[in-house]
Amino acid sequence: MAKIYFVDVTNRDGVQTARLGLSKLEKTMINMYLDKLGIFQSEFGFPTTRHESLYLQANLELAEMGVLNDIRLEGWIRAATADVETAFKLVPSIRHLNLSISTSDIMINGKFQGRRSKADVLKMMSDAVDAAKEQGAESVGVNAEDASRTDLDFLIKFAIAAKDHGADRFRYCDTLGYDNPFTVYETIKTLAENVEMPIETHCHGDLGMAVANSVAGAKGAIDGGQDVYINTTINGIGERAGNADLVATVLAVTKSKAFAEKHQLGRPIDLKKAWRLAKFASYAFGVPIPVNQPGVGANAFAHASGIHADGVLKDPQNYELYDYTELGRGEPELVETGREICSGEYSGVSGFSHLMGRMAISFKDTEEARRILELVRYANVEAQKPLVEDELLFIAKYPQIAKKLLTLTPPD
Ligand SMILES: [Zn+2]
């Protein structure tokens, strides 16, 4: 039977969100957490963007080293031959790409202003897929931007052309969050039946249905006989009202009524890592987790009213659909309430050694401590907030990789 996989796009859709961004170290940490969670693929960045090059290469090195163990790292570019060439020039070891182009009349007319027809769109996409395969891409996904406002016959034609040119997956982008569970189910089922290739759902929350649409779209693909790759972002951070929240979507496909019995994951997800991942992303983006967010919100397992509290104390199943421990919650959080030593861009060796000592990290000699401290300072220049323990540990463990992540040299 067809299966469900997850493709997280936080490091692409999340970081292109207005007012929000991540440092290259933070993006790397996100990839590390996603890998541990069991996510199939991270859309880890923009291979044609100059300041991403070293970050992308460093993460591909982490994959080669076996540090990023199972997760597939895929870059997002426009479906244009020139962009494919630039991507392979700037990031020669990239092996997985998603190529994006608008497919709806409204975007083709509105964005290209009469300079391109639907036939041109088909040709640009097909040429870009050919180029990516020629350059050595092992997998190519093709993204139909604004698919939900695209004429279905054209969408089928577009996806079949992509498949004929060797694309491996078709991404159905509900770019404006226009679909509802009923329309997305029907459309994706029709696509799966007619195109016969694995489908990605990419749903936005402009009408508050990103998770519901992802679940319905996934069912559509599976009922149409195809594997589905659900696009998510951590805490739902993404363009405008955001994307399908990763944790909520995993919970929805694994815990909702009668869904998990009929629809299987292609790879096990270790939800115990969810809490740490969500907290880190919230800290890194500087966006608090809403108290009522599924699974990871402060109130997700909180009970106050008499009947509820009494019920949950007698048996949690009375008022909780799943247990907090399943999400890795329950450890007391140690928050410093007195004197605190933080990392910063002007940190010195004494404070730094104290910080690292608390995590039981010791250095060979002062020389080594100074070298790591220098990297930590640079990381703070980019992040402009104290690093978390996992980041400090990462830098101490992989100083060469950290150095690459922190090297930003604009081109002449
Ligand atoms: Zn998007």
Side-chain angles (χ1 to χ4, degrees):
M1 199 176 55
K3 295 203 158 68
I4 301 171
Y5 298 85
F6 285 89
V7 173
D8 189 84
V9 299
T10 305
N11 277 334
R12 198 275 300 169
D13 218 317
V15 296
Q16 71 185 40
T17 306
R19 286 189 264 272
L20 302 182
L22 296 173
S23 74
K24 305 306 180 199
L25 176 62
E26 287 163 346
K27 292 185 79 168
T28 304
M29 299 309 294
I30 297 270
N31 293 329
M32 301 274 288
Y33 289 122
L34 290 172
D35 183 36
K36 292 201 176 80
L37 197 74
I39 299 306
F40 174 80
Q41 177 170 305
S42 170
E43 189 154 275
F44 74 143
F46 304 85
T48 57
T49 301
R50 295 270 173 170
H51 62 70
E52 290 269 274
S53 299
L54 281 176
Y55 150 75
L56 296 170
Q57 281 169 27
N59 276 261
L60 291 166
E61 268 178 58
L62 285 171
E64 261 169 49
M65 290 156 66
V67 178
L68 287 171
N69 236 343
D70 297 314
I71 198 161
R72 178 180 282 190
L73 300 172
E74 158 263 318
W76 183 97
I77 59 174
R78 293 177 301 183
T81 307
D83 280 28
V84 173
E85 281 160 8
T86 307
F88 279 95
K89 201 171 101 197
L90 295 178
V91 192
S93 51
I94 194 130
R95 287 295 168 267
H96 306 285
L97 286 174
N98 266 58
L99 315 175
S100 184
I101 194 162
S102 313
T103 51
S104 65
D105 284 337
I106 192 162
M107 279 203 183
I108 292 173
N109 297 332
K111 286 165 78 168
F112 300 133
Q113 302 273 309
R115 292 190 314 275
R116 290 209 173 96
S117 63
K118 279 178 166 170
D120 294 334
V121 166
L122 282 181
K123 173 136 180 44
M124 277 180 74
M125 177 276 293
S126 305
D127 288 350
V129 174
D130 288 345
K133 288 281 173 176
E134 272 163 33
Q135 297 263 0
E138 287 166 20
S139 80
V140 176
V142 168
N143 306 357
E145 190 192 24
D146 207 17
S148 50
R149 293 194 299 175
T150 302
D151 168 61
L152 185 54
D153 288 336
F154 180 67
L155 211 54
I156 291 170
K157 207 167 155 187
F158 178 87
I160 287 175
K163 185 183 164 191
D164 287 347
H165 283 263
D168 301 273
R169 290 206 298 272
F170 171 75
R171 179 178 293 179
Y172 176 90
C173 302
D174 182 20
T175 306
L176 269 68
Y178 176 54
D179 261 314
N180 61 56
F182 313 103
T183 56
V184 77
Y185 171 81
E186 287 299 336
T187 309
I188 290 187
K189 182 164 174 276
T190 307
L191 279 161
E193 285 166 349
N194 285 277
V195 182
E196 297 183 337
M197 81 191 287
I199 294 185
E200 294 190 24
T201 62
H202 183 92
C203 301
H204 277 271
D206 299 72
L207 298 175
M209 294 188 282
V211 173
N213 285 345
S214 301
V215 176
K219 181 169 168 51
I222 290 169
D223 288 354
Q226 294 298 319
D227 284 343
V228 66
Y229 294 75
I230 301 178
N231 287 194
T232 61
T233 62
I234 306 158
N235 301 336
I237 300 260
E239 291 274 19
R240 306 179 314 281
N243 297 53
D245 169 42
L246 170 60
V247 174
T249 311
V250 173
L251 287 169
V253 299
T254 56
K255 310 278 187 197
S256 67
K257 192 169 182 176
F259 198 84
E261 286 83 350
K262 295 188 201 132
H263 308 88
Q264 294 161 5
L265 297 182
R267 172 178 290 186
I269 300 279
D270 182 6
L271 261 183
K272 280 205 164 21
K273 305 288 189 299
W275 173 244
R276 207 174 176 87
L277 168 75
K279 293 290 276 188
F280 177 78
S282 162
Y283 179 73
F285 276 118
V287 178
I289 298 175
V291 290
N292 57 344
Q293 187 159 313
V296 295
N299 276 2
F301 299 95
H303 311 273
S305 70
I307 292 170
H308 281 239
D310 178 59
V312 88
L313 286 168
K314 284 177 176 145
D315 181 353
Q317 286 187 52
N318 281 326
Y319 284 105
E320 288 176 1
L321 206 50
Y322 43 88
D323 199 77
Y324 63 85
T325 55
E326 292 180 59
L327 292 126
R329 293 180 74 147
E331 294 284 315
E333 279 191 346
L334 294 174
V335 181
E336 205 64 71
T337 58
R339 182 174 301 117
E340 197 177 353
I341 307 294
C342 305
S343 74
E345 60 194 294
Y346 306 107
S347 287
V349 79
S350 163
F352 175 65
S353 300
H354 170 83
L355 258 181
M356 299 305 274
R358 262 196 351 200
M359 292 183 284
I361 299 279
S362 53
F363 298 105
K364 270 202 315 261
D365 47 32
T366 0
E367 172 58 26
E368 193 192 21
R370 283 190 185 281
R371 213 158 35 86
I372 303 300
L373 166 62
E374 197 59 30
L375 292 169
V376 168
R377 285 174 167 172
Y378 270 75
N380 274 282
V381 171
E382 207 191 346
Q384 288 297 308
K385 55 182 168 295
L387 304 190
V388 303
E389 287 191 356
D390 284 348
E391 289 174 293
L392 293 167
L393 287 169
F394 179 89
I395 294 174
K397 213 165 162 192
Y398 310 109
Q400 291 307 323
I401 296 286
K403 189 177 168 189
K404 265 193 193 151
L405 295 172
L406 298 168
T407 306
L408 285 175
T409 315
D412 290 325

